[in-house]
């Protein structure tokens, strides 16, 4: 659970923000910021919060984060700068590839820990669901109470509710000797998608008022 809470925001949050009539630019900035900071914060938080309970390879987590998160970002940015025509050709099929990749990641993560998930029952499902659901609620109402507009609040809610759970599963698999540490991340992959998609679908049918639009302008 600590690992799931320590990892960066999920890239699917950008799509959900678009559907929910949120601020896509802000969503991308937040995802990018948490992704880059994850290189340092994920191993730091895991070592600090879990080091006394289970062995934590902080350096290994940092290296994997750079390999899985930072390197693809740098490659994508470089390709977009030096070969924009290639990027334009790939863009139309990129969303479809992303959907299929996510499906395979979810299926793979859940299948590898099927028995522990079934054995744990709702005692595991409810806390993981609460992590995403409470994160989303706080992400919406706290900005609202601080005076942020509807669009920004929706964006923050989706960003805080959706995590890169598949990446958390990979870290648990590679750098935690205890097999069961990967189980919460596998469950989180499912609930993260359900929570984010539910928020997007609900807000899709709730228009942002003219007053909110003026604030955005």
């Amino acid at each position: 659970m600590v690992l799931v809470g320590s990892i960066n925001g999920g890239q699917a949050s950008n799509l959900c923000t678009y559907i929910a009539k949120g601020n896509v630019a802000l969503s991308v900035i937040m995802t990018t910021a948490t992704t880059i900071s994850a290189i340092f914060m994920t191993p730091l938080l895991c070592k600090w919060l879990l080091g006394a309970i289970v062995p934590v390879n902080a350096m290994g987590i940092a290296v994997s984060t750079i390999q899985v998160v930072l390197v693809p970002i740098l490659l994508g940015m470089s390709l977009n700068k030096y070969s924009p025509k290639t990027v334009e050709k790939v863009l139309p099929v990129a969303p479809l590839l992303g959907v299929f990749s996510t499906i395979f990641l979810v299926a793979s993560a859940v299948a590898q820990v099927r028995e522990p998930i079934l054995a744990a029952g709702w005692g595991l499902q409810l806390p993981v669901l609460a992590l995403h659901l409470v994160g989303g609620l706080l992400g919406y109402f706290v900005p609202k109470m601080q005076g942020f507009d509807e669009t920004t609040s929706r964006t923050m809610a989706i960003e805080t509710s959706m995590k890169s759970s598949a990446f958390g599963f990979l870290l648990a698999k590679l750098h935690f000797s205890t097999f069961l540490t990967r189980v919460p991340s596998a469950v989180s992959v499912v609930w993260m998608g359900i929570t984010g998609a539910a928020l997007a679908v609900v807000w899709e049918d709730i228009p942002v008022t003219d007053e909110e639009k003026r604030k955005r302008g």
Side-chain angles (χ1 to χ4, degrees):
M1 288 289 289
V2 171
L3 179 61
V4 173
S6 302
I7 54 180
N8 54 295
Q11 282 69 28
S13 62
N14 306 145
L15 174 60
C16 289
T17 298
Y18 174 77
I19 295 172
K21 299 182 176 67
N23 187 330
V24 178
L26 176 61
S27 176
V28 172
I29 291 172
M30 292 181 68
T31 302
T32 304
T34 58
T35 298
I36 295 175
S37 63
I39 298 172
F40 312 101
M41 295 308 299
T42 298
L44 179 64
L45 289 172
C46 288
K47 188 68 176 180
W48 179 39
L49 297 173
L50 293 176
I53 303 174
V54 295
V56 176
N57 182 0
M59 183 57 67
I61 293 176
V63 172
S64 292
T65 305
I66 293 172
Q67 292 173 337
V68 177
V69 175
L70 186 60
V71 172
I73 290 177
L74 294 177
L75 288 175
M77 292 173 62
S78 300
L79 188 63
N80 187 50
K81 180 178 180 179
Y82 297 108
S83 185
K85 292 183 179 179
T86 303
V87 174
E88 289 178 3
K89 293 179 181 179
V90 174
L91 277 179
V93 297
L96 184 61
L97 291 175
V99 170
F100 279 110
S101 299
T102 301
I103 292 173
F104 287 124
L105 284 171
V106 172
S108 174
V110 173
Q112 291 181 55
V113 289
R114 175 178 177 273
E115 295 300 328
I117 290 176
L118 292 175
W122 286 104
L124 173 63
Q125 300 290 335
L126 291 178
V128 175
L129 170 59
L131 185 148
H132 295 287
L133 187 59
V134 173
L137 292 174
L138 290 175
Y140 179 78
F141 286 109
V142 171
K144 270 288 189 179
M145 289 186 293
Q146 294 181 342
F148 287 93
D149 60 31
E150 176 69 15
T151 303
T152 302
S153 298
R154 291 184 184 188
T155 304
M156 291 186 181
I158 291 174
E159 284 296 322
T160 52
S161 67
M162 301 187 73
K163 310 288 287 184
S164 187
S165 306
F167 177 54
F169 181 86
L170 176 64
L171 291 181
K173 183 177 180 180
L174 293 177
H175 302 296
F176 288 82
S177 57
T178 306
F179 178 80
L180 293 179
T181 55
R182 63 188 77 172
V183 177
S185 294
V187 175
S188 173
V189 170
V190 178
W191 284 119
M192 178 273 297
I194 293 174
T195 304
L199 290 174
V201 169
V202 169
W203 277 326
E204 182 183 20
D205 295 325
I206 303 177
V208 178
T209 65
D210 291 338
E211 180 183 352
E212 295 289 354
K213 289 180 180 178
R214 284 196 297 271
K215 288 181 180 178
R216 290 167 60 189

